[in-house]
Amino acid sequence: MAEKTSSHFNQRQRDGNDKCEDADDDILKILIASDCHIGYMEKDPERRNDSLNTFEELLQQAREQKVDMILLGGDLFHHNKPARYFRYHCMRLLKQYCQRDEPSPIEIIPHPDETSSFPVTNNTLTYQTPVFSVHGNHDNPSGLGNLCALDVLSEAGLINHFGKALSHESVEMCPVLIRKGQTKVALYGLGSITDKALHGMFEKGKVSMSEPPVDVQSWFSMFVIHQNRAYRGDKEYIPESFLDEKLKVKLDLVIWGHEHDCQLDPVWYKKRFRIIQPGSTIATSIVKGETKQKHMAVLEIKGRYMKCTKIPLTTVRPMYIKNLALKFAEHRLDPGDVDIESKVEEFCAEQINKMVEAVTRDNASFPKRPLLPLIKLRVDVSGGYPTFNKRRFAQQFVHKVANVRVHGHDEQNLIDFKDKDERKKGGHSSRDPETLTEKKDYIENALEDVLAEAKKGQQLKVLSANGLTELLREFVKNDTNAHPQLVDIVLAKAADHLKHTDDEKLLEEEFKKFRKARQDMQEAEVDNEVKMAITLAKKAPEKYRKDDQHGSGFMGALLRLNEASTSGRHRTRGRPRGRPRGRPKGTSKGASTAKSYREERAALKRKYLGISSETSSSDSSDEISSPDKMDLTPLSSPQEPEEK
């Protein structure tokens, strides 16, 4: 039974409900859902069909509620290239529930500014319940032709894929114009784009919407977006204010996908437009936010009035999370006990069994629910309590809990350990996989704030704050310290900019121009520098990362990159062509390696920096003959030195 939570047809009008109930022919009914993630946990035999079961329930409700269309907010599939099994069953369900002989009661009106970036497959309107969807960050277009799974379904006539932007520099949205009786809806959509890129386009005024061709005030404007809504960094989300201040079209309703927290009660933004957040139909992580009841919604529109009714989903796998602090059970567990480890394990097993029993009782009210629940027990072992093997412990719940056979997904573990005492000491526990990553976003934001609020004379003059932040993210993610390489690259560009200035009085002015150009750099240029620095850091041999025997500065970067590109050839099986077996008599392996390295270094100096062979014969000299002879092109496209 539908759970009615918002029974207002635009609360600014008291007679909104009456107007909507007078003539059903003018009411446009839309089923709204988002983030179905079909194909999630495809390798888990217990959970692989959860997403399909919930998607089928969604389509069944669309038929029972007799809606005119289905609107999805992105991430229909969990993967960019879904397996054939999930594509087949998705197409089968769409055919079974959406295609009937009766024509659709809605009509698509062509827009004069419509482009191929926002296609509408009109032939799907011969079906009873057409489906409209934008793509998300999981099933986004990529590869040859910039296609995704939604494009395949759209070409097959099963879905209307709209909101696909082809440019990463600007976005021009053209609405899908829908009419039923006297109700007219302008449906705008924007599939997932990198939050930082879209944030920059909004700031530069590069995001626009086309208005309906005639009688603009009579259209109900609705916008579907799939981006971060919650704050995750200064440019890692889309503020709601952008939709009000940066767009010229007056919106009535925003449907926000990507966020999995279900918030279907319409929320006003400054009394200008309302926001609905459908949330996900399936839990993709075992966290507190996913434990809330999942819903779909039926949106009814008549003229400029609307009503939203949310319907609970009954096929979602139940999830329970419990926090347990062992130090509050000291009357039963003594850290100094000889058998404390086995007693802690028994105590944790007892707690999980109680949660399983509670799920069994609740399942009686939800017959369509999967029987095995998702359970996570978070155990605080501070106070000197030991831990035990998680996988071995989980095996006793194989036929009781669904998230037992999960490998390589720490967030899916049945049990997790945390030690607050170790955190207070300033260290991190190897038993807690979340310790090194849970503060990542905070650290990045703090770095940006420190750089932005630095005192006069201490601000960055050459380096980019964006570049440093990207390198910090890479360091946290992959333990790649590329900051020295980024310094080398930027200093080389500065030298290249100033090398033609002979007058010392003009140096400061030229440097100001260089600094201004750095501040106005596009994000793509910053990303290229960061990628170049990461490549240098990853390819440099380990011993030269720790002890930079190549020297510092631009030449050191060149030497590291070149040695990394040439050393890979000597690690192949067998000996290089032309080298005789063995070594000359009286020559050690280390001596031959050192000699080869000196010769290679001398060749690099001659080739890249214009230093004569006499000067380069000494390994202790890094002197550059003239700035004019510096060639910066090998930094981005390294060339191999000539072999002797």
Side-chain angles (χ1 to χ4, degrees):
M1 183 176 178
E3 177 188 350
K4 296 187 178 181
T5 58
S6 301
S7 59
H8 59 278
F9 271 72
N10 195 326
Q11 293 181 352
R12 293 173 295 183
Q13 301 290 337
R14 288 188 175 183
D15 58 345
N17 285 326
D18 296 333
K19 287 185 178 181
C20 200
E21 293 172 358
D22 288 343
D24 291 340
D25 293 340
D26 293 335
I27 299 178
L28 177 64
K29 294 183 68 174
I30 306 173
L31 182 75
I32 296 178
S34 184
D35 295 82
C36 298
H37 289 277
I38 295 177
Y40 176 68
M41 281 293 169
E42 60 181 6
K43 296 182 180 180
D44 189 335
E46 174 63 34
R47 302 167 60 185
R48 64 163 59 110
N49 288 322
D50 287 2
S51 57
L52 285 173
N53 294 337
T54 308
F55 185 61
E56 183 174 11
E57 180 188 2
L58 188 149
L59 299 179
Q60 286 175 344
Q61 283 290 336
R63 175 172 289 187
E64 292 178 7
Q65 298 292 331
K66 297 181 179 180
V67 300
D68 300 312
M69 57 179 283
I70 299 173
L71 182 59
L72 303 177
D75 279 347
L76 175 61
F77 293 99
H78 186 67
H79 298 290
N80 178 268
K81 298 178 181 179
R84 289 188 295 269
Y85 175 84
F86 296 104
R87 285 181 300 188
Y88 165 77
H89 284 288
C90 178
M91 296 173 72
R92 177 183 61 81
L93 292 173
L94 288 171
K95 275 188 170 183
Q96 179 180 348
Y97 290 100
C98 298
Q99 294 188 6
R100 286 183 285 176
D101 295 334
E102 303 174 13
S104 174
I106 66 175
E107 176 188 0
I108 299 294
I109 303 174
H111 193 286
D113 297 334
E114 185 177 341
T115 64
S116 58
S117 301
F118 298 88
V120 177
T121 308
N122 291 324
N123 61 349
T124 61
L125 298 185
T126 59
Y127 307 142
Q128 181 66 19
T129 312
V131 181
F132 292 79
S133 178
V134 299
H135 63 263
N137 58 306
H138 281 262
D139 52 9
N140 60 316
S142 63
L144 182 63
N146 196 35
L147 301 174
C148 63
L150 293 185
D151 290 315
V152 178
L153 297 180
S154 181
E155 191 64 24
L158 296 172
I159 206 170
N160 294 290
H161 180 202
F162 72 109
K164 183 178 178 181
L166 300 180
S167 174
H168 292 284
E169 297 179 356
S170 63
V171 173
E172 298 178 3
M173 286 176 276
C174 181
V176 179
L177 303 179
I178 303 172
R179 180 169 62 191
K180 182 185 179 184
Q182 299 300 318
T183 298
K184 296 181 291 184
V185 174
L187 177 61
Y188 298 89
L190 183 60
S192 177
I193 301 177
T194 306
D195 289 286
K196 183 178 291 187
L198 184 59
H199 193 285
M201 284 188 274
F202 266 112
E203 288 184 329
K204 297 174 184 177
K206 299 293 185 179
V207 181
S208 61
M209 290 179 170
S210 300
E211 293 182 337
V214 293
D215 198 9
V216 177
Q217 298 299 324
S218 64
W219 292 82
F220 184 92
S221 298
M222 190 162 51
F223 180 34
V224 184
I225 183 173
H226 190 98
Q227 301 291 152
N228 284 337
R229 183 183 178 191
Y231 178 84
R232 291 181 175 88
D234 288 344
K235 294 187 179 182
E236 298 294 339
Y237 79 115
I238 304 301
E240 298 167 1
S241 59
F242 280 5
L243 308 185
D244 178 38
E245 302 168 359
K246 307 293 185 179
L247 299 176
K248 296 181 180 179
V249 173
K250 185 183 182 302
L251 299 174
D252 294 294
L253 177 66
V254 175
I255 298 175
W256 211 300
H258 183 62
E259 301 288 354
H260 283 204
D261 188 10
C262 181
Q263 300 177 16
L264 281 172
D265 297 325
V267 178
W268 282 97
Y269 176 77
K270 295 183 178 180
K271 292 295 181 181
R272 297 180 183 271
F273 55 82
R274 284 149 291 184
I275 300 176
I276 290 177
Q277 185 174 298
S280 64
T281 61
I282 182 175
T284 58
S285 57
I286 305 180
V287 295
K288 186 177 181 180
E290 297 273 26
T291 59
K292 298 180 180 179
Q293 175 65 51
K294 303 289 186 181
H295 291 83
M296 66 185 92
V298 173
L299 178 67
E300 299 175 80
I301 303 173
K302 180 183 178 183
R304 298 291 297 275
Y305 312 125
M306 60 161 279
K307 179 174 72 174
C308 182
T309 304
K310 64 181 183 181
I311 304 173
L313 292 167
T314 60
T315 58
V316 179
R317 189 176 293 274
M319 179 189 302
Y320 291 85
I321 299 176
K322 184 177 182 179
N323 296 321
L324 178 64
L326 295 179
K327 63 182 178 181
F328 294 119
E330 292 179 356
H331 62 285
R332 297 185 56 188
L333 301 174
D334 181 9
D337 195 333
V338 177
D339 299 327
I340 184 61
E341 182 174 341
S342 60
K343 290 183 178 181
V344 168
E345 186 172 348
E346 292 175 2
F347 183 69
C348 292
E350 179 184 341
Q351 300 301 315
I352 293 178
N353 281 322
K354 289 181 180 179
M355 298 168 71
V356 172
E357 292 174 1
V359 172
T360 305
R361 291 193 299 267
D362 293 343
N363 283 344
S365 304
F366 299 93
K368 296 182 180 180
R369 248 190 201 177
L371 295 178
L372 303 187
L374 300 172
I375 287 180
K376 179 180 284 290
L377 183 64
R378 295 172 175 168
V379 183
D380 181 6
V381 296
S382 56
Y385 290 95
T387 62
F388 46 83
N389 188 287
K390 298 179 182 179
R391 290 188 180 181
R392 177 177 54 80
F393 172 79
Q395 294 309 308
Q396 59 186 302
F397 301 100
V398 168
H399 300 294
K400 296 180 180 180
V401 181
N403 55 313
V404 171
R405 298 185 179 92
V406 180
H407 302 300
H409 298 272
D410 291 332
E411 75 280 359
Q412 299 285 341
N413 285 337
L414 174 65
I415 186 170
D416 276 335
F417 299 110
K418 293 186 179 181
D419 192 340
K420 293 182 179 180
D421 292 342
E422 291 192 11
R423 295 189 179 191
K424 290 179 181 179
K425 294 176 183 178
H428 64 271
S429 173
S430 59
R431 296 171 297 191
D432 184 8
E434 299 177 358
T435 304
L436 294 178
T437 57
E438 63 181 0
K439 299 297 183 181
K440 178 173 68 68
D441 292 338
Y442 172 79
I443 294 174
E444 294 171 1
N445 299 336
L447 175 62
E448 293 181 354
D449 294 340
V450 168
L451 295 177
E453 299 175 3
K455 296 180 181 180
K456 188 175 181 180
Q458 297 180 352
Q459 297 96 337
L460 294 175
K461 295 184 178 182
V462 178
L463 297 179
S464 167
N466 293 338
L468 289 177
T469 304
E470 286 297 322
L471 285 179
L472 178 61
R473 183 180 291 109
E474 177 68 21
F475 175 75
V476 173
K477 184 178 180 182
N478 297 321
D479 195 22
T480 303
N481 185 12
H483 290 79
Q485 284 74 16
L486 181 64
V487 173
D488 289 337
I489 292 170
V490 177
L491 290 179
K493 289 188 175 183
D496 184 55
H497 182 84
L498 300 174
K499 68 181 181 181
H500 300 295
T501 305
D502 298 329
D503 191 347
E504 294 184 1
K505 297 180 180 179
L506 299 178
L507 279 176
E508 183 64 28
E509 189 65 28
E510 288 297 322
F511 186 74
K512 288 181 179 179
K513 293 180 181 179
F514 175 76
R515 185 168 59 198
K516 181 65 169 61
R518 296 283 304 172
Q519 294 173 351
D520 297 339
M521 281 178 63
Q522 300 292 328
E523 292 181 2
E525 298 178 89
V526 176
D527 291 341
N528 286 336
E529 285 187 357
V530 172
K531 290 178 182 178
M532 192 185 305
I534 293 172
T535 301
L536 283 168
K538 288 182 178 180
K539 290 187 176 182
E542 183 65 27
K543 62 178 180 178
Y544 296 126
R545 294 183 210 169
K546 297 178 180 178
D547 184 12
D548 192 1
Q549 300 180 17
H550 286 153
S552 59
F554 174 56
M555 191 173 71
L558 282 177
L559 293 172
R560 283 193 298 270
L561 178 60
N562 193 77
E563 172 152 320
S565 63
T566 57
S567 61
R569 295 174 297 157
H570 300 292
R571 289 193 296 267
T572 57
R573 295 185 61 184
R575 65 184 187 278
R577 188 174 65 179
R579 183 177 67 84
R581 293 182 181 272
R583 292 184 296 273
K585 186 176 181 180
T587 304
S588 65
K589 182 178 179 180
S592 62
T593 303
K595 181 179 179 182
S596 174
Y597 168 70
R598 286 196 298 269
E599 292 175 352
E600 195 170 287
R601 183 182 177 118
L604 280 171
K605 288 184 180 181
R606 291 194 302 273
K607 184 162 191 148
Y608 292 133
L609 306 176
I611 300 177
S612 64
S613 57
E614 292 78 6
T615 307
S616 61
S617 60
S618 175
D619 187 51
S620 61
S621 175
D622 282 342
E623 185 180 1
I624 299 176
S625 59
S626 171
D628 295 333
K629 296 182 180 180
M630 292 178 63
D631 183 10
L632 302 183
T633 54
L635 191 60
S636 57
S637 56
Q639 302 176 10
E640 296 183 355
E642 299 177 0
E643 294 187 2
K644 292 187 178 182

